[in-house]
Amino acid sequence: MSLAALRQAVRADTPRVDADVARIDAARAEAARAAALPDPTLVLAVDSLPVNGAGAWRLGSEDMTMRRIGLQQDWPSRRKRDARQAEADARVDVAAGEAELSRLAAEQWAGAAWIAVWTAEAGQAIQTELRADAERAANLARAQLAGGGAAADAVAARQVLAEADNALARGASDIEAARLGLARWYPAGAQQPLEPLPDLGDDAVDAASLRARFDEQATLRVWAERERAADSAVAVAQAGRRPDLGFAASYGARSAGLSDLFMLEVRVGLPLFARGRQDRDVAARLAERDAVQAEHEDARRIQREQLERLLLRWHSLQAEARRYAAELVPLAADRSAVALAGYSGGGALQSWIDARRAELDTRRRAVQVRAELASTWLQLDTLSSADAKVRP
């Protein structure tokens, strides 16, 4: 399983992505009714019913008594309904932007779990290879002991071999633990063999493109949607200053011999106290918009710093990885081989033990540098893949 295949699988189907898609669907459902008129109201009433005297509470005792049925309909202004619709549409885009952030975070965490498995397996491969050298040294020590060599060397060689076996057992446990972390993100592929790391050469990261398209990164693009939603909320509050209409129609039935009546009513809202109500609402929404704009600028500064730090770390780790591959690891291996050959020719065992430990540390550090380089590449590649969207 490759790192790219894992990221594609996580992008297509994870519980986190499913949850985000559900939230987008909920926002779209809300938007579909944002500009709708309120439901009409059915009115059933009795007018002018006497409450005392001989005809108290009797429908036919008074000519003015009327049984009435009607409908009422509130009619918010077109400007208010359009503003509510724009706000709801902006909320859909905010939900989509936040879902994209969540997806990218899931990809990054899954990639980190993949890199952890690769690191554990690479370390285990080093331990396996060096154990063969430890076994060879132990055999040499036993042979020399039989020929009159030092017993201390034989014991030291056996200790090194035991340490190598212990390290292999610990490494197997580390691999299993790392694969458990991978199973969280991709259960179906958690036990699959890993393919090599992707190419981490100079062309793996396009620094110029990342800087040129800085504001198109998902982390910042969602802030643009949040600003639009805040502007829409201001428009809704401002539309509250405009009067709303209401309509009512009813039919009244009176006692026999009297004509029935029809009533038509038009109501107009009077926002007479806007200073203490609507204006305060507008002021609150304007303050919230200012807060979103300030947070957007703060997010830009944080993202700029993060991008430059990642690029700096990328170049530094690339140079370090090249040094380990070209010089440090080969030199450490040569030193260990020379020391072991010297011991087989009668030299000191301690020289080989020191050289072997130095080689082990060097190769472990080389693996760690490669893992850190891959992790840095993953973060930068996540930034550059901001155009990928959550499935509809």
Side-chain angles (χ1 to χ4, degrees):
M1 176 180 60
S2 68
L3 180 56
L6 170 68
R7 295 174 67 190
Q8 183 64 36
V10 170
R11 179 183 306 164
D13 185 21
T14 62
R16 176 176 292 191
V17 171
D18 292 339
D20 292 331
V21 170
R23 290 191 180 93
I24 294 174
D25 291 341
R28 286 173 176 162
E30 291 287 343
R33 66 180 183 89
L37 292 172
D39 291 334
T41 302
L42 175 65
V43 179
L44 299 174
V46 175
D47 296 333
S48 302
L49 180 68
V51 297
N52 54 30
W57 306 110
R58 289 164 49 190
L59 291 176
S61 63
E62 172 61 50
D63 292 344
M64 295 295 295
T65 300
M66 178 174 60
R67 289 164 290 184
R68 181 163 54 87
I69 183 171
L71 287 175
Q72 295 181 356
Q73 175 68 63
D74 292 330
W75 201 283
S77 68
R78 168 56 66 179
R79 180 177 175 182
K80 183 178 293 186
R81 285 184 285 138
D82 289 345
R84 288 173 179 171
Q85 185 65 62
E87 182 182 26
D89 292 340
R91 296 297 179 191
V92 173
D93 292 337
V94 169
E98 291 175 346
E100 184 180 354
L101 287 181
S102 182
R103 176 190 63 78
L104 293 174
E107 278 190 47
Q108 193 164 318
W109 283 108
W114 189 97
I115 293 171
V117 174
W118 178 89
T119 304
E121 291 184 346
Q124 188 75 331
I126 294 172
Q127 291 288 355
T128 301
E129 183 179 340
L130 292 182
R131 187 198 179 281
D133 292 339
E135 187 174 9
R136 179 184 172 191
N139 292 335
L140 285 173
R142 283 195 299 269
Q144 292 187 5
L145 178 62
D153 285 352
V155 173
R158 287 175 59 192
Q159 181 182 358
V160 171
L161 182 59
E163 290 174 352
D165 289 335
N166 188 57
L168 283 174
R170 185 171 59 250
S173 178
D174 291 343
I175 291 173
E176 186 63 25
R179 286 195 174 273
L180 287 174
L182 184 59
R184 172 191 172 185
W185 300 103
Y186 189 36
Q191 298 302 323
Q192 294 180 12
L194 300 189
E195 296 184 12
L197 283 175
D199 179 21
L200 302 177
D202 292 336
D203 295 337
V205 171
D206 188 349
S209 177
L210 284 169
R211 291 188 176 107
R213 302 178 59 189
F214 175 72
D215 286 306
E216 297 179 27
Q217 294 171 14
T219 305
L220 297 179
R221 194 166 58 230
V222 71
W223 279 106
E225 304 298 345
R226 288 168 180 160
E227 280 197 30
R228 189 162 69 87
D231 287 337
S232 298
V234 171
V236 170
Q238 290 173 336
R241 293 167 171 166
R242 301 177 68 87
D244 292 334
L245 297 178
F247 303 95
S250 62
Y251 181 87
R254 297 199 294 174
S255 302
L258 296 175
S259 64
D260 295 341
L261 301 177
F262 176 77
M263 184 270 291
L264 179 63
E265 180 180 282
V266 178
R267 297 190 301 273
V268 180
L270 298 177
L272 300 178
F273 306 99
R275 185 173 181 180
R277 296 178 182 176
Q278 289 82 4
D279 289 356
R280 291 183 181 274
D281 189 23
V282 172
R285 302 293 83 75
L286 287 171
E288 289 177 352
R289 185 188 65 182
D290 292 343
V292 171
Q293 290 175 341
E295 289 170 344
H296 186 183
E297 178 58 26
D298 185 57
R300 291 187 79 259
R301 296 182 184 185
I302 293 173
Q303 188 71 4
R304 176 69 71 182
E305 178 190 7
Q306 181 186 10
L307 174 60
E308 296 303 328
R309 283 180 179 272
L310 285 172
L311 290 173
L312 181 63
R313 182 170 178 77
W314 165 256
H315 294 304
S316 175
L317 287 170
Q318 269 198 320
E320 188 175 1
R322 291 192 189 101
R323 286 194 295 269
Y324 271 101
E327 299 179 49
L328 296 176
V329 171
L331 288 174
D334 290 345
R335 176 188 172 188
S336 183
V338 169
L340 184 57
Y343 174 63
S344 64
L349 178 64
Q350 189 60 45
S351 297
W352 172 77
I353 292 176
D354 294 341
R356 179 188 177 280
R357 287 175 177 167
E359 181 186 2
L360 181 59
D361 290 342
T362 300
R363 295 182 68 174
R364 281 175 173 170
R365 176 56 187 164
V367 168
Q368 188 61 39
V369 168
R370 290 270 296 167
E372 292 175 7
L373 184 64
S375 178
T376 304
W377 169 82
L378 178 64
Q379 294 178 68
L380 289 168
D381 189 66
T382 299
L383 293 179
S384 65
S385 64
D387 291 335
K389 303 293 186 183
V390 173
R391 69 180 188 273

